[in-house]
């Protein structure tokens, strides 16, 4: 077996393997979408006798955490030819990808798993949840009329407003993707067919948007973002206006545990919450150095006991309190400080805000000196991470 990166001359083989593995329709739209992703990503392939046996696509993106920008590798289209499964191909591809991320300063990686246990072995852990509303159109709660107006536009006419709203919004910035121009085109124009609705206030300023599809009698809301309460009312009223032309209204979004039911006279009574994307920290030491940890109350140590696919993370890291400055981070062979012993998977959940230190202690998923529990609580995010993009 030979591991190597794929380039333009390998695209046809990469596309054929992905199409076979994921069974998407073989048409021009899917070809254009995957070609765009291929162009902006690093694609790793395992070859047997010049035949592509397995591949993964690692797309460099940026996310926001601790009010800072982190480089992240979004992993997608993990696929193998059935003839070559069970030979450790994906193991070697994932290891090479993580080594490259480490050497290039990419501190985070996200993926959408087909199996949580399978990807947990590579250091990933569940970090994002999703909620889905799927109701009869007649049951969708309406809103009173707002002072602004909604216009349905083409992508070319809507995209500038959508980008500006994304930049101005504080929603979903904790852990979410900061979209680049090519990613917008890939997500909303090249690889899918959507409708776009923009809410404008009385001064003709864009304050919200809706991205959706209508298929087989369903109104599928893919993305909905508001800068003001008026935009929420206007766009919700726009959704409700489809009651007579569709059978069901479906709305999926990242679950932040605050659904705004108080806004509706008759709240939607049923929703499905499910586990979704996984995350991993590629480089623990560099991640700690980049985090905003100025409110460290007491020096302590973090020990990662095992990380097979990123062994540079194994060991003990001391966080030394410094007055009015970032704490000093140093890797040591032994420590006398109060200690948190944690797996690389639970570390990601804790420092991205998916789980609190109290939850991890309650379920006996970490070992920690009781005297530093409050210190860790104040150091780690109090909001859950939200991700609206797939890879």
């Amino acid at each position: 077996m030979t591991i190597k990166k794929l380039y333009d001359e390998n695209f046809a083989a990469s596309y054929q393997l992905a199409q076979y593995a994921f069974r998407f329709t073989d048409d021009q739209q899917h070809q254009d979408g995957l070609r765009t992703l291929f162009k902006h990503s690093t694609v790793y392939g395992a070859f047997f006798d010049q035949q592509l046996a397995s591949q993964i696509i690692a797309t460099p993106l940026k996310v926001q955490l601790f009010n800072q920008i982190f480089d992240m590798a979004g992993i997608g289209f993990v696929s193998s030819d059935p003839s070559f499964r069970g030979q450790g191909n994906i193991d070697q591809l994932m290891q090479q990808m993580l080594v490259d991320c480490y050497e290039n300063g990419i501190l985070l990686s996200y993926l959408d798993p087909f199996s949580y246990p399978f990807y947990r072995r590579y250091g990933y852990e569940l970090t994002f949840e999703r909620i889905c509303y799927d109701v009869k159109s007649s049951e969708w709660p309406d809103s009173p009329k707002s002072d602004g107006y909604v216009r349905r536009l083409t992508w070319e006419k809507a995209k500038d407003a959508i980008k500006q709203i994304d930049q101005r919004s504080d929603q979903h910035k904790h852990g979410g993707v900061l979209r680049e121009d090519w990613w917008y085109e890939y997500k909303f124009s090249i690889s899918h067919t959507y409708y776009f609705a923009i809410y404008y206030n009385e001064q003709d300023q864009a304050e919200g948007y809706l991205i959706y599809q209508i298929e087989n009698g369903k109104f599928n809301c893919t993305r909905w973002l508001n800068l003001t309460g008026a935009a929420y009312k206007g766009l919700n009223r726009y959704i409700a206006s489809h009651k007579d032309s569709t059978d069901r209204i479906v709305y999926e979004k990242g679950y932040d545990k605050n659904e705004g039911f108080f806004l509706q006279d008759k709240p939607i009574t049923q929703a499905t919450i499910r586990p979704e994307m996984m995350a991993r920290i590629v480089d623990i030491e560099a991640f700690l150095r980049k985090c905003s940890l100025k409110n460290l109350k007491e020096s302590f140590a973090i020990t990662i006991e095992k990380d097979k696919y990123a062994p540079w993370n194994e060991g003990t890291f001391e966080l030394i309190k410094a007055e009015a400055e970032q704490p000093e981070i140093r890797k040591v062979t032994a420590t006398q400080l109060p200690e948190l012993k944690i797996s690389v998977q639970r570390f990601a959940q804790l420092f991205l805000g998916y789980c609190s230190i109290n939850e991890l202690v309650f379920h006996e998923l970490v070992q920690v000196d009781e005297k530093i529990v409050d210190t860790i609580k104040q150091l780690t995010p109090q909001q859950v991470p939200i991700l609206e993009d797939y890879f």
Side-chain angles (χ1 to χ4, degrees):
M1 178 178 64
T2 303
I3 301 294
K4 64 180 183 180
K5 294 178 183 177
L6 276 58
Y7 298 98
D8 287 345
E9 61 269 23
N10 307 115
F11 175 75
S14 175
Y15 176 82
Q16 289 169 9
L17 180 57
Q19 195 276 330
Y20 185 87
F22 291 95
R23 299 294 176 176
F24 52 77
T25 304
D26 183 6
D27 56 22
Q28 192 63 49
Q29 187 175 52
H30 282 95
Q31 289 182 33
D32 291 345
L34 192 60
R35 189 180 292 279
T36 299
L37 192 67
F38 192 96
K39 176 182 176 182
H40 289 90
S41 304
T42 301
V43 185
Y44 298 86
F47 288 81
F48 281 86
D49 297 328
Q50 306 304 312
Q51 181 178 348
L52 181 61
S54 301
Q55 67 177 345
I56 63 173
I57 297 180
T59 305
L61 298 164
K62 295 184 183 299
V63 299
Q64 184 168 312
L65 286 169
F66 296 96
N67 295 315
Q68 296 195 68
I69 308 304
F70 285 75
D71 289 314
M72 185 273 291
I75 307 303
F77 290 97
V78 179
S79 42
S80 290
D81 187 306
S83 305
F84 299 101
R85 283 185 181 147
Q87 299 185 26
N89 304 349
I90 300 300
D91 271 22
Q92 294 192 46
L93 294 175
M94 292 293 289
Q95 179 119 51
Q96 185 61 57
M97 180 275 298
L98 289 170
V99 168
D100 286 354
C101 287
Y102 175 66
E103 292 179 348
N104 289 292
I106 298 172
L107 303 185
L108 294 164
S109 181
Y110 296 171
L111 57 77
D112 184 13
F114 74 89
S115 165
Y116 291 94
F118 179 82
Y119 286 106
R120 191 171 288 125
R121 65 195 285 188
Y122 303 115
Y124 291 82
E125 189 52 83
L126 171 63
T127 311
F128 302 96
E129 294 179 357
R130 201 157 184 83
I131 187 168
C132 177
Y133 299 97
D134 184 345
V135 301
K136 292 180 180 179
S137 298
S138 59
E139 296 177 0
W140 188 264
D142 205 343
S143 292
K145 189 178 186 304
S146 58
D147 293 329
Y149 59 94
V150 176
R151 291 291 181 267
R152 181 167 63 85
L153 304 173
T154 64
W155 168 246
E156 288 302 318
K157 292 183 178 180
K159 63 182 180 181
D160 287 342
I162 289 172
K163 292 176 185 179
Q164 291 170 13
I165 292 167
D166 278 346
Q167 291 170 0
R168 292 171 59 195
S169 174
D170 291 329
Q171 294 184 49
H172 314 322
K173 289 291 177 68
H174 178 66
V177 169
L178 301 179
R179 296 169 176 152
E180 300 175 43
D181 285 346
W182 78 266
W183 185 254
Y184 275 101
E185 296 293 335
Y186 167 72
K187 291 293 293 184
F188 301 127
S189 178
I190 296 172
S191 59
H192 296 87
T193 301
Y194 291 114
Y195 293 109
F196 306 91
I198 309 295
Y199 174 86
Y200 295 92
N201 63 19
E202 293 177 286
Q203 289 74 45
D204 301 320
Q205 298 167 328
E207 291 186 344
Y209 69 79
L210 189 69
I211 301 175
Y212 64 98
Q213 295 173 310
I214 298 177
E215 295 178 336
N216 301 320
K218 287 187 178 183
F219 183 104
N220 292 293
C221 179
T222 299
R223 178 82 167 136
W224 182 11
L225 188 61
N226 311 290
L227 296 178
T228 63
Y232 168 82
K233 293 176 184 176
L235 288 169
N236 189 61
R237 189 173 179 85
Y238 179 82
I239 295 173
S241 71
H242 291 78
K243 289 181 178 181
D244 294 332
S245 58
T246 61
D247 298 321
R248 303 192 70 81
I249 295 174
V250 181
Y251 175 35
E252 283 200 11
K253 66 171 186 169
Y255 180 51
D256 60 6
K257 303 180 182 179
N258 183 7
E259 292 305 295
F261 289 126
F262 66 93
L263 297 172
Q264 303 159 2
D265 289 337
K266 185 180 178 183
I268 297 172
T269 57
Q270 291 186 341
T272 302
I273 300 169
R274 67 174 186 269
E276 198 67 35
M277 304 279 275
M278 302 177 84
R280 83 109 73 209
I281 310 298
V282 175
D283 185 343
I284 298 289
E285 184 173 2
F287 179 85
L288 288 170
R289 291 184 188 280
K290 190 174 176 68
C291 291
S292 298
L293 305 177
K294 291 183 179 179
N295 57 341
L296 179 65
K297 291 174 53 180
E298 179 181 357
S299 299
F300 72 99
I302 299 174
T303 295
I304 307 294
E305 295 182 317
K306 184 179 180 181
D307 192 354
K308 177 181 177 181
Y309 291 89
W312 50 84
N313 287 329
E314 295 176 357
T316 298
F317 304 89
E318 291 185 336
L319 284 67
I320 308 300
K321 181 181 178 181
E323 294 297 330
E325 295 180 5
Q326 280 283 98
E328 178 186 354
I329 311 295
R330 60 192 184 196
K331 191 171 186 179
V332 298
T333 56
T335 185
Q336 299 300 314
L337 294 175
E339 190 175 6
L340 167 66
K341 292 184 177 180
I342 189 169
S343 69
V344 67
Q345 292 91 346
R346 302 303 177 190
F347 181 92
Q349 289 182 320
L350 177 62
F351 275 84
L352 269 67
Y354 179 73
C355 288
S356 69
I357 185 63
N358 295 95
E359 290 172 313
L360 294 175
V361 169
F362 180 84
H363 292 288
E364 301 179 343
L365 296 172
V366 299
Q367 298 178 47
V368 62
D369 190 315
E370 289 185 5
K371 70 171 77 171
I372 59 171
V373 168
D374 285 342
T375 295
I376 295 170
K377 188 185 303 182
Q378 293 189 13
L379 207 62
T380 49
Q382 302 304 303
Q383 59 185 125
V384 297
I386 296 294
L387 183 65
E388 297 291 354
D389 293 276
Y390 291 80
F391 317 107

